[in-house]
């Protein structure tokens, strides 16, 4: 047997060093922004990082953002979703056995979300009331300490990125014929007022 | 060692009648336990009682023959579990008097004969022991019990079959062989089909009594009649020495704690029950068991003339209960009952109980071997951290506010899912892998409304669209409105960009008036690009439209 039989997988050394650096920083307790896996369709649009808050404008985008982490074996949670479509979540790739759902936290939504962020990797929140800057900063601090990701469907004072779907077209449906088959959407990612990414994707 | 056999004839019928009289069976009728009754399997009589036999019903008859002979015969389905279940109290009551009970089959048990301890002047010890047992069994409702005492098990069983109800037939020591030799060969039929076959063969060979069979030589028996023949031959010689496999009484696993003075808050009760919960779990763990279903019973102090109130509920766990889980369940169960104790009031599952707690009891409902639930070497099951974190959320908003989503079968979007409270096991779900004709294919809606929203769909002329009984749409959907048609939150009608359907269903009409009926589902896309799943259901006028789900 020659040495060529022992194949080392091709890894970009720089990426590997970055990853190791991040882990060392995490052990040292420093402020670190580890990446959280997302579905392939978000590549180039947005990269979830722990401690971040991301805004979405539809339930589908919220489920799709959480799906990557769920597929990677993390626990995800949905708070304030009293109309959670279980079958759609599964079709988007969320592992239902690692999903926690708080359909209507009511007035306790802030405490519930803070407690969920403690233990879950990605929490998708639909706030029931108006969010003030104070509540948002409490959650921000908790997120950074616990290395979770918060995805908010609705208004939020400061977001790392905000995803919105534009120019939605449905395929497969006519006038009394066919059925909804797939949705072509242009997803636009904004930070503040500036557009940071734009891509046309097919959502189920 | 002398052996006493207790035989309850036609036990299947007795057990079935006891269950009917107990009222736990769904078809509750007032039947006398002495009415003629038969147990049927494959439409043939397997067992019949004395009253039915008197009418001419026999074992092996077809059901219609049995009913022709005795029209008012009670028909019972064969159920070995029921027979065993109802025989358990009989075993327990015999055990109270004489330990070392060996159950042989439902309706038949053996005990070491309690010899000289029961002897009275003029009556043998075995006779009086049998009389005592008979009195005891009649006390628990078993009228027809017969006793037989002999040197070995088989002879004792045969002797019991000779006895009259509640009486004892004693075969004297050393007389077993003589007793058996006087029996006809047809008694072998009680051994089952093998015995019936041998009895038939012996009868055709001209051997009428077991004694004739015993007179043959051992070598000839093994040549001609095989292993079973040899076994019967050895029994008839009186040489059988079968040992009794006496059972160990089942262990007591339930734990209870009583409070004096009674506790009037759920927190105090949950705190005080901690050691009992630990003892309960340790008792199971000592037998390498874990509980996956536990029944928690709480007794409350009587208020006025109401008497002692009891709250009982069975809790299921997705994995297995720890003592901490049990304490949580006690807390939740008491919270549901104690509406007025300053705790967050939750909707109660039964009658509200607001009295102090006097007693708490844990009963294992489902236990499984601990090995099946052990953690893997590198952890397994739900993440400990997640479990603790979610328990904190449950403490904040109530245990059923945290849910685990699961899929189930169904046609409507809301029917196809279920939300199971965190920490409970999903039960009674419809299977997913059935075809479910009439369901909407394609991508599932992301928002499924628990309470459907109001809606309206009109055609070009402004008339509400309906679906005929042939599944035809009365007009093409032209405009639709989501939400109430009037009031502050009313929205304008939106033009329909495209639509698909109808998917007609006609279900649940069998439930009763006002539920189910003819309905049809539509997928409608508005000009703003948002898609909805609308449902039209027949009703007054041109039907009712509602929004079941949204493809948001």
């Amino acid at each position: 047997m020659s040495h060529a039989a022992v194949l080392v997988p091709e890894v970009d050394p720089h990426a590997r060093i970055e990853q190791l650096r991040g882990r060392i920083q995490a052990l040292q307790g420093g402020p670190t922004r580890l990446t959280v896996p997302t579905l392939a369709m978000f590549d180039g649009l947005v990269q979830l990082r722990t401690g971040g808050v991301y805004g979405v404008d539809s339930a589908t985008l919220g489920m799709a953002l959480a799906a990557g982490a769920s597929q990677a074996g993390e626990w995800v949670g949905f708070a304030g979703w009293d109309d959670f479509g279980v079958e759609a979540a599964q079709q988007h790739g969320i592992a239902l056995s690692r999903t926690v759902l708080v359909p209507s936290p009511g007035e306790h939504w802030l405490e519930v979300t803070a407690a969920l962020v403690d233990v879950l990797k990605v929490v998708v929140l639909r706030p029931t009331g108006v969010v003030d800057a104070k509540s948002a900063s409490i959650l921000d601090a908790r997120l950074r300490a616990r290395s979770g990701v918060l995805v908010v469907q609705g208004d939020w004072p400061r977001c790392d990125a905000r995803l919105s779907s534009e120019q939605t077209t449905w395929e497969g449906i006519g006038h009394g014929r066919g059925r909804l088959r797939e949705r072509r959407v242009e997803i636009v990612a904004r930070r503040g007022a500036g557009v940071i990414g734009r891509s046309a994707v097919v959502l189920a | 060692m002398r052996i006493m056999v207790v035989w309850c004839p036609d036990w299947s019928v007795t057990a079935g009648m006891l269950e009917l009289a107990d009222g736990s069976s769904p078809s509750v009728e007032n039947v006398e336990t002495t009415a003629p009754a038969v147990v049927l399997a494959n439409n043939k009589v397997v067992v019949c009682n004395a009253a039915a036999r008197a009418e001419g019903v026999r074992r092996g008859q077809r059901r219609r023959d049995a009913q022709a002979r005795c029209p008012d015969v009670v028909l019972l389905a064969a159920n070995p579990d029921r027979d065993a279940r109802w025989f358990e109290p009989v075993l327990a009551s015999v055990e109270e008097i004489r330990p070392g009970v060996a159950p042989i089959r439902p309706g038949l048990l053996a005990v070491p004969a309690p010899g000289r301890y029961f002897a009275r002047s003029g009556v043998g010890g075995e006779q009086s022991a049998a009389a005592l047992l008979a009195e005891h069994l009649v006390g628990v409702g078993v009228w027809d019990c017969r006793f037989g005492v002999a040197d070995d098990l088989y002879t004792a069983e045969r002797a019991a079959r000779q006895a009259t109800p509640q009486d004892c037939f004693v075969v004297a020591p050393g007389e077993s062989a003589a007793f058996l030799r006087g029996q006809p060969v047809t008694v072998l039929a009680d051994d089952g089909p093998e015995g019936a076959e041998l009895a038939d063969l012996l009868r055709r060979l001209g051997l009428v009594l077991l004694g004739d069979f015993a007179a043959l030589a051992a070598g000839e028996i093994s040549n001609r009649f095989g292993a079973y023949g040899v076994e019967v031959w050895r029994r008839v010689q009186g040489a059988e020495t079968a040992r009794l496999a006496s059972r160990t009484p089942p262990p007591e696993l339930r734990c209870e704690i009583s409070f004096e003075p009674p506790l009037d808050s759920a927190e105090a009760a949950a705190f005080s029950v901690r050691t009992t919960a630990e003892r309960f779990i340790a008792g199971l763990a000592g037998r390498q068991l874990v509980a996956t279903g536990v029944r928690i019973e709480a007794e409350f102090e009587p208020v006025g003339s109401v008497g002692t109130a009891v709250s009982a509920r069975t809790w299921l766990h997705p994995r297995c209960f720890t003592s901490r889980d049990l304490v949580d369940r006690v807390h939740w169960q008491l919270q549901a009952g104690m509406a007025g104790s300053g705790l967050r009031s939750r909707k109660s599952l039964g009658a509200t109980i607001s009295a102090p707690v006097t007693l708490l009891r844990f009963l294992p409902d489902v236990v499984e071997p601990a090995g099946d639930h052990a953690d893997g070497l590198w952890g397994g099951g739900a993440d400990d951290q997640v479990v603790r974190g979610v328990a904190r959320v449950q403490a904040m908003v109530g245990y059923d506010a945290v849910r685990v989503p699961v899929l189930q079968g169904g046609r409507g979007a809301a029917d196809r899912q279920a939300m199971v409270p965190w920490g409970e096991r999903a039960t009674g779900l419809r299977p997913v892998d059935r075809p479910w004709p009439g369901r909407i294919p394609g991508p599932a809606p992301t928002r499924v409304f628990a309470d459907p929203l109001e809606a309206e769909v009109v055609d070009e002329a402004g008339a509400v669209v309906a679906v005929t009984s042939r599944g035809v749409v009365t007009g093409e959907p032209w405009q639709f409105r989501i939400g109430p048609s009037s009031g502050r939150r009313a929205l304008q009608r939106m033009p329909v960009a495209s639509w698909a359907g109808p998917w007609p269903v006609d279900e649940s009409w069998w439930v009763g008036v006002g539920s189910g009926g003819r309905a049809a589902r539509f997928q409608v896309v508005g000009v703003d690009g948002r898609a909805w799943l609308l449902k039209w259901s027949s009703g007054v006028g041109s039907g009712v439209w509602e929004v079941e789900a949204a493809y948001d």
Side-chain angles (χ1 to χ4, degrees), chain B residues 377-402:
Chain B
L377 192 52
W378 287 278
D383 210 335
D384 280 351
Q385 230 187 343
V386 174
V387 170
R388 278 199 296 275
V390 173
R392 271 203 304 281
V393 178
Q394 277 182 315
M396 266 187 261
V397 289
Y399 93 96
D400 55 357
V402 183

Side-chain angles (χ1 to χ4, degrees), chain B residues 40-326:
Chain B
L40 298 165
N42 299 329
N43 265 338
K44 285 206 169 144
V45 175
V46 191
V47 187
C48 52
N49 64 359
R53 259 193 301 277
E55 300 279 347
V57 180
R58 291 289 176 271
R59 209 189 291 177
Q61 259 174 357
R62 283 183 302 177
R63 180 170 74 172
R64 60 172 120 155
D65 293 340
Q67 280 179 314
R69 293 214 161 84
C70 178
D72 57 346
V73 68
V74 178
L75 302 175
L76 302 160
N79 183 350
D81 289 346
R82 175 193 63 203
D83 303 347
R85 196 164 58 237
W86 283 94
F87 199 54
E88 188 65 27
V90 177
L91 289 177
S93 57
V94 173
E95 223 156 37
E96 278 173 26
I97 293 187
R98 183 72 171 105
V101 171
I104 297 168
R105 59 172 181 266
L108 195 67
L109 67 89
V111 284
R116 55 200 168 84
Y117 305 110
F118 292 87
R120 302 278 183 282
S121 58
V123 187
E126 283 147 359
Q127 289 279 6
S128 58
L132 191 68
L133 275 177
E135 191 184 350
H136 203 68
L137 286 178
V138 167
V140 298
V142 181
W143 290 88
D144 196 354
C145 49
R146 304 169 191 217
F147 301 84
V149 182
D151 285 341
D152 61 287
L153 184 62
Y154 183 71
T155 316
E157 186 190 334
R158 297 276 26 125
R161 285 173 191 270
Q162 297 272 309
T164 50
Q166 298 169 27
D167 201 2
C168 182
F169 189 99
V170 178
V171 178
E175 296 289 316
S176 293
F179 168 75
L180 286 179
R181 282 170 196 214
Q183 300 274 319
V185 290
T186 47
V187 301
L188 291 176
D190 290 333
D191 283 2
E194 207 176 17
E197 199 179 323
L198 181 64
D200 188 45
L201 176 62
L202 293 180
R203 189 182 53 74
R204 282 182 281 129
L205 289 173
L207 303 173
V208 181
L209 296 178
L210 284 177
D212 302 335
F213 185 61
L216 301 176
E220 292 167 8
I221 299 284
S222 64
N223 281 342
R224 180 66 183 79
F225 301 107
Y228 177 72
V230 173
E231 189 197 320
V232 171
W233 186 81
R234 283 176 53 81
R235 275 192 222 151
V236 179
Q237 301 297 320
E240 194 202 32
T241 52
R243 310 291 301 231
L244 289 187
S246 48
R247 72 168 192 162
T248 315
E252 188 57 79
L253 292 171
R254 69 177 185 188
C255 287
E256 60 182 43
I257 181 172
S258 49
F259 302 118
E260 186 63 46
L263 301 176
D264 57 358
S265 92
E267 274 82 6
F271 184 76
S272 313
V273 86
R274 194 165 297 254
T275 47
T276 311
E278 276 161 12
R279 190 155 48 85
F280 175 76
I281 295 295
L284 288 169
R287 293 179 175 79
Q288 275 84 43
L289 293 174
V290 290
T292 56
V294 171
R295 184 174 172 80
I296 298 178
E297 294 181 357
E299 285 181 13
F300 299 89
E301 199 173 48
V303 181
S305 59
V306 177
T308 311
V310 178
S311 138
R313 173 167 178 186
T314 303
W315 297 87
L316 298 177
H317 197 280
R319 293 185 68 220
C320 58
F321 280 102
T322 63
S323 57
R324 205 189 150 114
D325 293 331
L326 281 177

Side-chain angles (χ1 to χ4, degrees), chain A residues 4-202:
Chain A
V6 185
L7 284 175
V8 178
E10 288 289 323
V11 178
D12 180 16
H14 294 290
R16 183 88 183 126
I17 288 168
E18 277 299 310
Q19 199 185 348
L20 289 171
R21 238 177 226 159
R23 280 169 67 177
I24 289 168
Q25 279 183 345
L27 287 172
Q28 288 170 338
T32 146
R33 307 293 305 272
L34 294 181
T35 60
V36 174
T38 46
L39 295 183
M41 67 180 182
F42 293 109
D43 288 349
L45 263 179
V46 65
Q47 172 64 60
L48 295 189
R49 286 180 183 276
T50 57
V53 181
Y54 300 86
V56 293
D57 72 338
S58 69
T60 309
L61 281 178
M63 283 182 182
L65 267 184
S70 183
Q71 282 177 355
E74 302 284 358
W75 282 73
V76 297
F78 292 83
W81 288 51
D82 52 352
D83 51 8
F84 187 76
V86 179
E87 205 173 8
Q90 201 201 25
Q91 287 174 357
H92 278 107
I94 291 176
L96 296 179
S97 56
R98 288 193 302 273
T99 304
V100 180
L101 184 65
V102 185
S104 38
E107 58 194 295
H108 305 288
W109 68 267
L110 185 64
E111 293 89 333
V112 167
T113 312
L116 287 179
V117 160
D118 268 359
V119 290
L120 307 179
K121 197 60 157 185
V122 180
V123 176
V124 188
L125 168 71
R126 197 183 287 164
T128 39
V130 181
V131 185
D132 53 7
K134 182 163 163 285
S135 314
S137 62
I138 292 173
L139 267 183
D140 278 348
R142 187 73 77 102
L143 278 173
R144 279 195 296 277
R146 296 291 178 172
S147 70
V149 174
L150 185 66
V151 177
V152 180
Q153 188 192 349
D155 291 330
W156 197 261
R158 280 185 310 280
C159 284
D160 288 35
R162 187 176 287 281
L163 298 182
S164 50
S165 40
E166 293 176 2
Q167 295 171 17
T168 307
T169 51
W170 281 96
E171 302 286 324
I173 188 167
H175 284 271
R177 278 187 307 282
R179 60 178 172 87
L180 297 177
R181 277 180 196 283
E182 58 184 31
R183 168 170 26 175
R184 294 182 189 282
V185 176
E186 189 177 47
I187 301 179
V188 182
R190 290 192 177 83
R191 180 172 294 142
V195 174
I196 56 169
R198 184 184 282 274
S199 92
V201 298
V202 175

Side-chain angles (χ1 to χ4, degrees), chain A residues 60 83 86 90-91 101 174 176, chain B residues 403 407 417 444 447-448 499 552:
Chain A
T60 309
D83 51 8
V86 179
Q90 201 201 25
Q91 287 174 357
L101 184 65
Chain B
R403 301 293 178 113
L407 288 176
Q417 59 187 37
R447 297 178 63 186
V448 177
W499 62 282
D552 188 10

Side-chain angles (χ1 to χ4, degrees), chain B residues 467-489:
Chain B
V467 180
T468 66
S469 56
R470 309 287 293 181
V472 178
V473 188
T474 56
E476 181 156 329
W478 189 253
Q479 287 185 320
F480 71 108
R481 185 210 323 268
I482 306 295
S485 55
S486 59
R488 198 161 53 82
R489 302 184 61 186

